[in-house]
């Protein structure tokens, strides 16, 4: 329907908005940049159809912030129907010696922070595949699901091989949250196929590459210093796909399509990802609700064959980043991994 945020059924009884409000930008490390009233902003998103929220145990302060929103929503005479997706990310230094009680402690903490009796979704991450115990930990999460503490189990930033190991152990996964954009096609290598085999869906972050996929960077001089890790992270992806000149060619292509349809470059980039097989939703990183109504145009946009061919033509000129999903970021000694923070649950 025109002017509406589309919805996606993950199961027969579980629907989400196809645009998810991300929580990473609300963490304490970004506090100087966010709204003075994040709970009011969450209501603004929910009232406009973006009623699914993403957070994590390691996003400092965010679960509690969303918990305040959950409490305020429940106190309303006509509460909104919302979904909250969190993550379980054991610290890098804890891997290989994790106990079942450690997992339950963090899940119970998330329940308390979010003011929920059951977590809608827990997305599991494991930093180091050389450390044993990932499948066992996923099994402990399944046990907590069976006791009623978790509704849906998912993964985040797992590559295809290690996702398959969890599935082969008989653990049902609803989704996997991964980076996927016109600048990062790594899920297309193998993960999308695995998801199709197992009726799994993708929740995609980085769809706008931290804001690089926007008019702001069209025609801009290549930057060499940045104000935050997010821009560093996505500039590294621009370098991986072929560099700044090729990135500008992509922006020019997206800009032509955007102007043709009267939308923004960001809407074209988001629309393209949402059209890919197995993609359920994109996660947006808006720090406040100032531009929330713009997301409706993502679903009003109807790209034609000419548009899709133009995007494909520029995609064929790009280098595909090496290895599988998140493998570059998993290497602590490389440029992608060296900017990560690995032990945030210890705080």
């Amino acid at each position: 329907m025109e002017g509406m945020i589309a919805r996606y059924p993950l199961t027969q009884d579980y629907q989400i908005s196809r645009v998810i409000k991300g929580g990473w930008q609300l963490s304490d490390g970004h506090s100087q940049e966010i709204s003075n009233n994040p709970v009011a902003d969450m209501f603004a998103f929910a009232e406009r159809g973006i009623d699914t929220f993403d957070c994590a145990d390691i996003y400092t302060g965010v679960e509690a912030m969303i918990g305040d929103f959950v409490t305020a929503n429940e106190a309303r005479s006509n509460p909104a129907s919302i979904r909250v997706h969190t993550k379980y990310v054991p610290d890098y230094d804890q891997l290989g010696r994790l106990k079942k009680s450690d997992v339950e402690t963090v899940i119970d903490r998330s329940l308390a922070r979010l003011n929920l009796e059951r977590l809608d979704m827990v997305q599991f991450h494991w930093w180091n595949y050389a450390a044993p115990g990932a499948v066992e930990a996923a099994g402990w999460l399944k046990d907590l699901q069976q006791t009623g503490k978790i509704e849906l189990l998912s993964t985040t930033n797992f590559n295809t091989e290690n996702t398959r190991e969890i599935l082969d152990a008989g653990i049902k996964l609803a989704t996997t949250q991964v980076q996927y954009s016109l600048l990062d096609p790594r899920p297309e290598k193998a993960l999308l196929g695995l998801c199709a085999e197992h009726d799994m869906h993708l929740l995609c972050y980085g769809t706008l590459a931290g804001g690089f996929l926007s008019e702001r960077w069209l025609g801009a001089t290549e930057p060499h210093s940045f104000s935050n890790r997010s821009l560093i992270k996505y500039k590294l992806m621009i370098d991986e796909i072929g560099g700044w000149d090729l990135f500008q060619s992509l922006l020019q292509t997206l800009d032509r399509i955007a102007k043709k349809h009267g939308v923004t470059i960001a809407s074209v980039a988001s629309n393209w990802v949402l059209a890919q097989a197995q993609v359920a939703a994109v996660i947006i990183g808006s720090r406040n609700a100032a531009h929330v109504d713009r997301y409706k145009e993502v679903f009003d946009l109807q790209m034609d064959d000419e548009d899709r061919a133009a995007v494909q033509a520029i995609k064929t000129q790009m280098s595909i980043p090496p290895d599988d999903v998140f493998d570059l970021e998993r290497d602590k000694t490389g440029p992608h991994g060296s900017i990560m923070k690995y032990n945030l649950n210890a705080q």
Side-chain angles (χ1 to χ4, degrees):
M1 185 181 299
E2 185 175 349
M4 298 290 289
I5 301 295
R7 305 193 63 73
Y8 196 99
L10 294 180
T11 71
Q12 184 176 353
D13 302 316
Y14 193 107
Q15 285 198 356
I16 60 172
S17 52
R18 296 203 75 191
V19 175
I20 295 174
K21 172 70 175 71
W24 181 71
Q25 286 79 5
L26 298 177
S27 62
D28 283 357
H30 300 270
S31 59
Q32 72 279 8
E33 302 173 354
I34 66 173
S35 165
N36 291 326
N37 196 339
V39 171
D41 282 337
M42 291 177 202
F43 277 114
F45 277 94
E47 289 163 0
R48 289 164 174 81
I50 301 175
D51 54 12
T52 308
F53 298 84
D54 180 80
C55 59
D57 54 346
I58 62 170
Y59 297 172
T60 308
V62 177
E63 283 186 325
M65 195 181 298
I66 295 178
D68 291 341
F69 166 57
V70 169
T71 299
N73 182 55
E74 289 176 351
R76 287 190 164 191
S77 58
N78 187 24
S81 178
I82 61 174
R83 293 291 190 182
V84 180
H85 299 169
T86 193
K87 303 180 185 71
Y88 171 58
V89 185
D91 286 345
Y92 192 102
D93 292 345
Q94 195 179 22
L95 304 184
R97 52 188 180 89
L98 203 64
K99 302 186 296 292
K100 185 174 183 178
S101 60
D102 298 325
V103 178
E104 188 164 13
T105 294
V106 175
I107 294 303
D108 286 344
R109 187 183 66 185
S110 291
L111 284 164
R113 286 173 170 175
L114 289 165
N115 294 323
L116 293 170
E117 295 182 359
R118 179 175 62 180
L119 299 175
D120 291 332
M121 179 186 288
V122 172
Q123 301 163 104
F124 172 48
H125 178 61
W126 194 262
W127 288 111
N128 179 15
Y129 295 141
V135 175
E136 187 176 26
W140 293 334
L141 288 169
K142 180 181 178 182
D143 291 343
L144 293 171
Q145 181 185 37
Q146 291 173 338
T147 66
K149 291 188 176 185
I150 300 168
E151 184 163 355
L152 296 182
L153 280 183
S154 298
T155 53
T156 181
N157 290 331
F158 266 74
N159 66 17
T160 307
E161 177 184 354
N162 289 274
T163 303
R164 189 182 293 278
E165 287 184 1
I166 292 174
L167 292 166
D168 287 348
I171 299 169
K172 171 65 176 174
L173 299 173
T175 67
T176 183
Q177 184 181 140
V178 295
Q179 184 171 294
Y180 188 23
S181 74
L182 284 165
L183 292 175
D184 187 1
R186 286 178 292 177
E188 297 170 9
K189 292 183 176 183
L191 187 61
L192 289 179
L194 179 67
C195 288
E197 289 176 31
H198 291 270
D199 192 29
M200 287 175 61
H201 310 278
L202 267 65
L203 306 179
C204 303
Y205 70 89
T207 302
L208 302 181
F212 274 114
L213 291 171
S214 69
E215 283 79 5
R216 175 186 175 186
W217 294 98
L218 180 64
T221 302
E222 182 174 5
H224 296 287
S225 62
F226 303 97
S227 59
N228 58 60
R229 284 188 301 125
S230 179
L231 289 175
I232 297 171
K233 169 185 173 67
Y234 293 111
K235 175 55 166 62
L236 287 169
M237 294 309 301
I238 291 171
D239 296 340
E240 292 286 351
I241 60 98
W244 195 253
D245 289 344
L246 184 56
F247 169 62
Q248 287 297 315
S249 295
L250 170 64
L251 283 184
Q252 291 163 11
T253 298
L254 298 180
D255 186 52
R256 287 193 293 271
I257 296 170
K259 287 177 176 174
K260 172 181 171 181
H261 294 279
V263 298
T264 64
I265 287 175
S267 292
V268 177
S270 298
N271 180 280
W272 183 90
V273 171
L274 285 165
Q276 306 312 302
Q278 303 305 126
V279 171
V282 296
I283 301 168
I284 61 171
S286 294
R287 297 180 179 91
N288 56 59
H291 307 296
V292 63
D293 288 325
R294 292 184 182 178
Y295 297 106
K296 295 177 181 179
E297 73 178 27
V298 173
F299 302 98
D300 293 339
L301 171 60
Q302 298 291 325
M303 292 176 64
D304 57 31
D305 290 344
E306 180 183 42
D307 301 329
R308 287 186 286 270
V311 172
Q312 185 59 32
I314 195 68
K315 274 193 74 188
T316 59
Q317 300 177 44
M318 297 179 182
S319 299
I320 299 177
D323 303 318
D324 204 347
V325 170
F326 207 72
D327 285 344
L328 282 172
E329 295 86 344
R330 205 174 298 279
D331 178 6
K332 293 180 75 173
T333 65
H336 296 265
S338 64
I339 63 172
M340 297 288 174
K341 294 185 178 181
Y342 295 91
N343 294 298
L344 291 175
N345 255 316
Q347 296 182 358

